[in-house]
Each structure stands twice: as C-alpha cells, then as structure tokens.
C-alpha cells in the first residue's frame, strides 16, 4: 500500500470533498441523486443516471460517473451499471481508473462474489489513487469481510483505521466507517454496540454512499441490533425501513427489509413473513442475503417443532453459503443441522465409491465413463447421488481429504 490504513483519514478538507457535486447545467446525475435522496421515483432516477453515463461530458467526469453509478447500484440495476462500466473502462478515461476500480469492486460484491470483491477492494486500497477513493474502499472492504465471515481480518482493519478517533470528526465518510463497524459488531454478537454505530451512521450523509448495502439498510440493521435491549425502537426502525424500501422499489432491498421486519416485529407471523422475504430475494437474485434469511427460517421452523421444514431450510442455506465461499456461515448452519436432525449418512454403493474415487483422482466424467464402460449421463447421476449422501455441494468438496469414501 502507498499509505498505512491508519493514515487514510488524516487528509485535509480537500480530501473530503464529495465526488458527486454539481457538474454542469441540467446534469442528469443531479436529478438522479435528488430522486435517490427522496427515495422515490426509482425508475426515473435510473433513467437519469443511465442517460448521464451516455452523455459525452458526464461519461468523462469522475463526479458524474460516481453519482450515476451510486444511483444505479442503489436502485439494484447492477446489469446496467456493469454495461456502463465495461464501456467506460474500454475508453481509458484519464484520471478515472481508480474510481472505476472502486465501482467494479462494489458491482462484484453486489452480484454475490464476496471473495472477488474482497480481493478487488484490497487492490483499490493498495493501488495509487486519490485519498478519497481509499477512504471509501476501506469501509467497504470491512463490510465485505464481515459479511463473508472473516471477522478477525475485519476487526484488525477497524483497529488499524482507529475508527473511534475518526468517528468523532465530521467527514463525508464518517457514516461509511460507522456503518462498517456496526455490521461487524452485529456479526460478532455485539448488538448494543452495533445499534449505536448504525444509528450514528444513519445521522450522517448517507445518500452519496447509498451503493453500500449497509448504509441503505441502516434502519433495519440497527433494528436487529436493538431487538433485545430496545424492542420498541427496533420495531419502529424495521417498520420505517420496510416503508422506505417499498417506496424506493429495489427488489433486493425490499426482500431484506421484509426479513428484518419479520425477525423483529413479525411475532406469530414470523415464519410466513420470512418465507415471503426469501421468495422476493430468490426472484431478485439476492445471493448474499438469501442464505442468512433461510438460516433464520430454519431456526424458526425448528422452534415451532417443524423438523422437516427446518432441515430443508438449513440445507438450502448451507448450499448457498458454500457457493458464496462463506465458510463461517456454512459451519454455523451445519451445527444447526446437527442439532435439529442429526445426519445419518447413507452408505455409498460399490459403484458410487469407485466413481467418486476416480473423480477425486482427477478424472473427468468422460474419462470415468470410458474406464467403467458407462455413459457420461450415468456417471453424472451417480456423482449427484454421492454429493447428496455425503452432504457436499460438488466435486470441489469431494477433493477434500476430510470426505470419507470408504
């Protein structure tokens, strides 16, 4: 890195200037950001941001690019944002490379590639770039690590950054830092601390950083932190978040808001509301949020005595957590599975063992089929049975020496 993380927030006033300021008369970005601030007319905001990025002036201006991309990502329009990103990168815009790297990292995170996003945020922080870019990338990296379950690394970054000192000073990125620490505290089970941080983050300038899921959802996250110590406040927060999400209309945000409302204020309808939230997230492609909601559904089903439903939800959540590479979440869900219905492994047939061992040895399905005089489809069928019986998600896990094939 060109600077230690602890010095990233020591710059002067010029370093803290917003990237999304006024650009030119009638700029579509200004209209998009204004609508984003109101949390209404999402489709109109998307239109203005999209048009701005097609405008010759705006597509060369870092402030316009930042404001337009913030609007698109906050609106859940990752595909449109990705298309513009590819076009802008191809033009090799002078001075915009660090900003485009930052946008790329956030797009990667929002599509559910948490490991890829982590690596890209680290590249942004390590590469030569304006201090402002580093100041945004660092809390986004902390958030990503926290959601990914890499809590020790996230906590170390928080310590290095000295957020306690920085949080006491007003700056454009104060909300980002507090939000990042808040979500980390939630993952660590420090609900009271999380509530304090997230409420403070919500009092800051959130709109410019609405591409951050943490800041766009600070009410619901703070409500989750307050549900035990201050239930009335928690209910108020998640109810407000549900209203904001429904008015803005971004599907993944709606699904998340519904899940938080279900957990905090659902009462006897919690399972039904969580099922609605899971359905919305699945349709919307909420790959990061869905395993957490399914895990919560599994816990509620178990509490209600619905063992089959609990096991189904935990297995679904486990598969998604593994695909995300979230080993911490996968381990937690596995423990829930053991508690709700201890797994009695089915024995592999002789042929399944032979096929599994050949696959572990590195042979392709076609090679296995040739060796055993089978069709490729038959090999695929047997391997699917192996994965199901061993409770693994595929060939990659089959390669692990901890998987017993005897």
């Amino acid at each position: 890195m060109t600077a230690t993380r602890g010095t990233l927030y020591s710059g002067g006033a010029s370093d803290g200037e917003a990237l999304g300021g006024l650009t030119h008369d009638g700029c579509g970005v200004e209209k998009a950001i204004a609508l984003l601030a109101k949390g209404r007319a999402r489709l109109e905001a998307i239109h203005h941001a999209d048009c701005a990025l097609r405008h010759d002036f705006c597509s060369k201006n870092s402030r316009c690019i930042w404001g337009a991309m913030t609007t698109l990502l906050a609106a859940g329009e990752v595909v449109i944002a990705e298309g513009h990103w590819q076009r802008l990168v191809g033009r090799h815009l002078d001075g915009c490379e660090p900003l485009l790297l930052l946008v790329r990292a956030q797009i990667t995170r929002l599509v559910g590639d948490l490991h890829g996003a982590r690596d890209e945020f680290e590249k942004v922080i390590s590469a030569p770039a304006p201090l402002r870019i580093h100041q945004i990338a660092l809390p986004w990296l902390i958030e990503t690590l926290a959601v990914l379950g890499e809590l020790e690394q996230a906590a170390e970054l928080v310590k290095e950054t000295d957020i306690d000192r920085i949080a006491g000073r007003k700056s454009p990125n104060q909300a980002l830092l507090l939000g990042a620490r808040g979500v980390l505290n939630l993952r660590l089970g420090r609900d009271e601390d999380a509530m304090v941080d997230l409420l403070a983050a919500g009092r800051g300038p959130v709109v410019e950083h609405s591409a951050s899921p943490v800041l766009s959802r600070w009410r619901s996250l703070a409500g989750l932190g307050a549900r035990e110590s201050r239930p009335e406040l928690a209910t108020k927060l998640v109810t407000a978040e549900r209203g904001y999400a429904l008015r803005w209309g971004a599907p993944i945000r709606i699904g998340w808001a519904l899940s938080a409302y279900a957990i905090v204020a659902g009462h006897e309808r919690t399972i039904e509301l969580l099922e609605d939230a899971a359905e919305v997230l699945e349709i919307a492609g909420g790959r990061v949020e869905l395993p957490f909601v399914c895990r919560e559904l599994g816990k509620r089903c178990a509490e209600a005595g619905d063992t089959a439903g609990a096991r189904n939800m935990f297995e679904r959540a486990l598969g998604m957590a593994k695909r995300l590479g979230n080993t911490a979440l996968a381990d937690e869900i596995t423990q829930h599975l053991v508690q709700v219905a201890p797994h009695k492994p089915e024995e592999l047939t002789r042929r399944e063992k032979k096929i599994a061992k050949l696959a572990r040895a590195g042979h392709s399905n076609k090679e296995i089929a040739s060796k055993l005089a089978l069709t490729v489809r038959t090999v695929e069928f047997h391997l699917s049975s192996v994965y199901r019986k061993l409770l693994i998600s595929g060939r990659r896990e089959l390669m692990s020496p901890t998987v017993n094939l005897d």
Side-chain angles (χ1 to χ4, degrees), residues 191 195 199 218-242 257 260-267:
D191 289 356
M195 175 191 69
L199 289 175
W218 68 267
R219 293 176 186 83
S220 54
L221 290 167
L224 291 171
R227 66 188 185 276
E228 296 294 336
S229 61
R230 301 181 63 183
E232 290 185 5
L233 173 62
T235 297
K236 182 179 179 180
L237 287 166
V238 297
T239 301
E241 173 62 25
R242 184 180 62 168
Y261 180 85
I263 293 167
V264 173
H267 307 304

Side-chain angles (χ1 to χ4, degrees), residues 2 9 11 21-22 48 66 71 247 253 310 394 398-399:
T2 57
Y9 289 83
L22 185 63
H48 287 305
W66 175 248
T71 301
R247 284 195 295 273
R253 184 174 173 185
L398 182 65
M399 306 300 285

Side-chain angles (χ1 to χ4, degrees), residues 1-177:
M1 289 181 57
T2 57
T4 64
R5 289 165 179 134
T7 64
L8 289 184
Y9 289 83
S10 59
S14 61
D15 292 321
E17 290 178 357
L19 288 172
L22 185 63
T23 52
H24 62 86
D25 290 341
C27 176
V29 173
E30 295 298 322
K31 297 175 184 176
I33 289 292
L35 292 171
L36 175 59
K38 294 177 182 177
R40 298 178 184 274
R42 171 174 161 270
L43 295 180
E44 186 180 347
I46 293 169
H47 170 74
H48 287 305
D50 183 40
C51 289
L53 289 170
R54 298 177 189 278
H55 190 282
D56 187 59
F57 180 91
C58 284
S59 64
K60 296 176 183 176
N61 184 290
S62 62
R63 297 190 177 203
C64 287
I65 293 171
W66 175 248
M69 286 295 190
T70 291
T71 301
L72 291 174
L73 296 179
E77 292 299 325
V78 178
V79 174
I80 296 176
E82 168 81 14
H84 282 300
W85 181 87
Q86 291 181 352
R87 182 174 55 81
L88 293 171
V89 166
R91 293 173 62 181
H92 303 292
L93 300 172
D94 291 338
C96 291
E97 292 86 351
L99 174 61
L100 291 173
L101 284 174
L102 180 65
V103 170
R104 171 72 260 172
Q106 192 66 329
I107 289 174
T108 301
R109 180 189 173 185
L110 293 173
V111 299
D113 182 2
L114 297 177
H115 285 280
R118 176 200 60 197
D119 295 344
E120 289 175 3
F121 282 129
E122 288 178 344
K123 287 180 183 177
V124 173
I125 294 170
S126 301
L131 180 61
R132 181 77 167 113
I133 300 296
H134 286 162
Q135 290 176 332
I136 297 171
L138 182 60
W140 281 3
L141 173 59
I142 293 170
E143 294 173 16
T144 302
L145 289 170
V147 175
L148 191 54
E150 298 181 1
L151 303 182
E152 289 185 8
Q153 297 92 318
E156 185 61 31
L157 280 181
V158 167
K159 183 179 179 181
E160 288 182 22
T161 308
D162 194 7
I163 289 181
D164 282 329
R165 177 180 60 82
I166 297 162
R169 294 161 29 194
K170 289 185 177 181
S171 73
N173 293 306
Q174 185 184 49
L176 275 177
L177 285 165

Side-chain angles (χ1 to χ4, degrees), residues 360-398:
R360 177 182 274 181
H363 296 287
S364 68
N365 290 355
K366 186 175 181 180
E367 290 170 340
I368 295 171
S370 177
K371 284 179 176 292
L372 301 181
L374 301 171
T375 66
V376 173
R377 186 177 294 276
T378 299
V379 172
E380 291 172 347
F381 173 80
H382 284 301
L383 281 174
S384 294
S385 179
V386 169
Y387 302 151
R388 178 182 58 79
K389 289 181 178 181
L390 297 178
L391 287 182
I392 59 177
S393 60
R395 189 180 292 251
R396 184 176 178 180
E397 286 186 72
L398 182 65

